[in-house]
Amino acid sequence: IITGKKELDYYILSVVNSGEYKPQNNLNSTKVGLQNTKKRLQLLYGNRSEFTIENSILDGKPFVLTKLKLPLHLKAINIPNPI
């Protein structure tokens, strides 16, 4: 289930999936997608964005809730050249 809503000066995108989120604790892992996403959000929006993933249970069934909170109004910021 994917939902989006405006809340004050933010837009919140939520994704609910069945199952369980298992973060990679292996230092040799090549799976860097989530870390890259969090770093890019920090570079673009600073402390004005949030990205969370949490496990929960509803009616005895596990699910994963992922939320992305972004500011509706962007302020001028310096974005380093990624190249």
Side-chain angles (χ1 to χ4, degrees):
I1 300 171
I2 300 173
T3 60
K5 67 179 180 177
K6 180 183 172 195
E7 189 174 285
L8 299 175
D9 289 334
Y10 293 91
Y11 188 76
I12 301 173
L13 179 68
S14 301
V15 179
V16 176
N17 278 332
S18 60
E20 184 178 352
Y21 171 61
K22 298 176 185 173
Q24 294 288 327
N25 292 326
N26 182 352
L27 294 177
N28 296 322
S29 175
T30 59
K31 299 178 181 179
V32 295
L34 293 176
Q35 288 108 0
N36 283 344
T37 300
K38 289 179 180 182
K39 286 179 185 177
R40 287 180 183 268
L41 288 170
Q42 180 66 33
L43 285 172
L44 290 171
Y45 304 110
N47 62 358
R48 296 176 310 215
S49 69
E50 293 178 18
F51 180 74
T52 60
I53 303 174
E54 57 188 48
N55 290 308
S56 196
I57 296 178
L58 181 64
D59 296 330
K61 297 179 183 176
F63 70 92
V64 179
L65 173 61
T66 303
K67 285 188 179 181
L68 179 59
K69 181 178 177 181
L70 300 173
L72 288 173
H73 307 287
L74 299 177
K75 296 179 182 175
I77 58 174
N78 289 325
I79 299 174
N81 187 347
I83 298 175

